[in-house]
Amino acid sequence: METTESPPESTAAVPAAAQNSTTPDPAVSHSASKSSPDHMEINDPIPIAEPQPQPRKRRRRRKKIFTDMISSTASRLRVIRPHSKPAAADIDDDSLSGHQRKRRGAPDLSKEVDIEALIAISVGFPVDSLTEEEIEANVVSQIGGAEQANYIIVRNHILARWRSNVSDWLTKDHVLESIRIEHKNLVNSAYNYLLHHGYINFGVAPAIAAVKTKFSGETPKGSVIVIGAGLSGLVAARQLIFLGFRVVVLEGRSRPGGRVRTKRMSGSGGSVVGAADLGGSVLTGINGNPLGVLARQLEFPLHKVRDICPLYLPNGRMVDSDVDSKVEVSFNKLLDRVCKLRQGIMDEIKNVDISLGTALEAFRRVYKVAEEPFERMLLDWHLANLEYANATLMSNLSMAFWDQDDPYEMGGDHCFIPGGNERLIRALAEDLPIFFNRPVESVRYGSDGVIIHAGGQEYQSDVVLCTVPLGVLKEGTIEFSPELPQRKKDAIERLGFGLLNKVAILFPYDFWGGEIDTFGHLTEDPNMRGEFFLFYSYSSVAGGPLLIALVAGEAAVKFESMSPVESVNRVLEILKGIFGPKGIAVPDPVQAVCTRWGQDQFSYGSYSYVAIGASGDDYDILAESVGDRVFFAGEATNKQYPATMHGAFMSGMREAANIMRVVTRKRPSNAEAAKVNNNSITIHERNDVDVLFENPDFEFGSFSILCDANSTDVESHCLLRVSIENEGSEFGGGGVYLYGLIEKKQAVELSSLGDDLKRIEVLTRVFGVRLVGRNGLCDAAESLIGRMKSGKSVPNLV
């Protein structure tokens, strides 16, 4: 078996008879929740050699939000839509489908208020209070009271109205059709908040894009550089352009999407094909999920991940459902006991934390849970599933706060997007000014704006939005100057950034039965319980017979050092152990891909988790802006929805609104705005000579001079650099550097002139100097540059 490796990608030929290849690919933040994924239902069991127990359904453990809680709240609110007698300013209410109907009595209207409140809750709003963002945006004049109660009803109504038809632009006039005119101020407040924060009228529907294009032509409010073209970066860039900013996106990879990556797989001659999501894959909870909105706008069908998951022993036998049920109940009781323990500890002793793994193991021993080897294997499978949801070992998870995001969990089914999530990425990236292969090296910020060095170029703007993964911030590959505040650096250190890997295998045909979406595998080695413990069947969504095996916990770490051939052979060995006893042959794979997310220099892992000593507050700290110049987005900045694709999406919307708020608050006068970079993004080509010019000998206007340190002769050569601004740049004001060779006495004469126009005239007409690009400098200039380099330390820009 032949292998070649060049991390993080490597290739291997799987059994030669099938001419197969395995390609590890860098990984992505997997959209996982803190409990097991939803699974599917088996209609026709696969024929087997002997009777097997039926698999049990494995449903997500989810906190419920009960309707009666909302009803009791709504009953205290003042209804502001007409339902008794008509008034001059009243307009008959329309149903959400747009059909006119008779006026409703109080019970009907109260029911509708309840439904709209449920929709608002699914999006993330509280039942009867304002969010911190709403309070900060001053949506009401006074917190509490009738105005706030009525605002909440209006807000919920606007949300529900748009969610009923996400492909059209909802206007204020549409809203006022069903709200009494005396509450127009509340409509304005709620509508503007929801619009600017990306809760309504967002996405990629043609009608919405058409309206947003009209807004984007207004006078720019400022310039923003977005670092990273992942979900949060793409969403923020689109929203910022709509809000009136000039935007450029810098992406280190050669593609958009970041940790969302769909790999197109195929056999020789295209005999079979499949689309594998190597990173973010499952839409975890479709109720209120903005990614579900995008899918509706693009008319993508969603495939519900069915909720039956058969588990198989190492010998291929299906786990007995009674024993499975017993162990699962015991596992959930252990978690409940840990919850009670941590509450008692935190009430008595503050700031005490241990690992979730330590606490669970202690309770397991005390209550003698899973003492038989068979039961222990089952318990280990559930622990592996928990390690998958959190992308790390149980020994790394905070007992106190590992599940701090559970109260915000989005309800509804878990779903796949047929064809892969890259379809969403392509739609979001369309028409955005993205510069690929631009890894950011440094971010310098101050009162005048920001300067970013990336891919050998220098970019200048008013503010920067950093959306790189937490793993990149932990690695310190981006230099911030001044350094980030210690509070933020501590949060970066405390939060965990974990690892999940996958093996995607395309087969010539579906031998496992296309009527299931998942099945699990138990192992006898507790240290390797996460090794290929769960298989996702993509046959119904990938376009071909595709299986994806997950590697979690300690196994995910060891997996990174395994050869791809070894990994694929191990998967095949497990599959043969499951299906061989049933008389089902496992064919040679057509193609296989292995991820190596821990080795990916643009992520250094998969997604965040709450480590020992960390808390949900650290997500908020990571989201804080620095000096109103440097902003942060990404799943690791979202306390409510970390480690999810929709969490990344929502963080991008959040920061677009924050940037808008800060810039609006600090907006200078017209004269001052002209001095601050003209609200534009300036791009300079950065090369070896520009590094020397960081400390010029003379600097005046757009002119910079470097002199020969080895000569005091006034006729000795000097290197000149002139900055030429280009107002016709596509992004509103780019610039280039031109160079020339002059004498020291000429440099002194130029410095004495009043402005740059006179200097250019004297330089070209009197001195006869021709300005050229970096590569056009003469031999004498190159010789001078060489002498300067030998006397100065020049950093490597490659």
Side-chain angles (χ1 to χ4, degrees), residues 56 228 363 404 526 586 632 716 773:
R56 289 197 321 107
F363 277 118
Q404 61 84 34
V586 176
F632 293 85
S716 62

Side-chain angles (χ1 to χ4, degrees), residues 66 111 206 236 246 274 294 334 339 348-349 373 447 501 572 594 621 725:
F66 296 100
K111 182 178 180 181
R246 293 193 184 276
L294 296 186
L334 288 178
C339 290
E348 298 295 329
I349 310 172
S447 59
N501 276 311
L572 294 177
C594 300
I621 295 172
E725 293 300 321

Side-chain angles (χ1 to χ4, degrees), residues 342 346 351-355 396-404 470 474 489-497 608-622 636 639:
R342 70 182 177 190
M346 296 185 69
N351 302 320
V352 171
D353 199 4
I354 60 174
S355 78
N396 294 334
L397 283 174
S398 162
M399 180 198 71
F401 299 108
W402 71 276
D403 58 349
Q404 61 84 34
L470 175 59
K474 281 179 169 290
K489 291 196 292 185
D490 289 345
I492 291 171
E493 177 69 23
R494 283 192 297 266
L495 279 174
F497 197 67
S608 63
Y609 65 90
V610 184
I612 301 171
S615 72
D617 292 340
D618 290 317
Y619 288 110
D620 286 339
I621 295 172
L622 205 58
K639 178 180 180 178

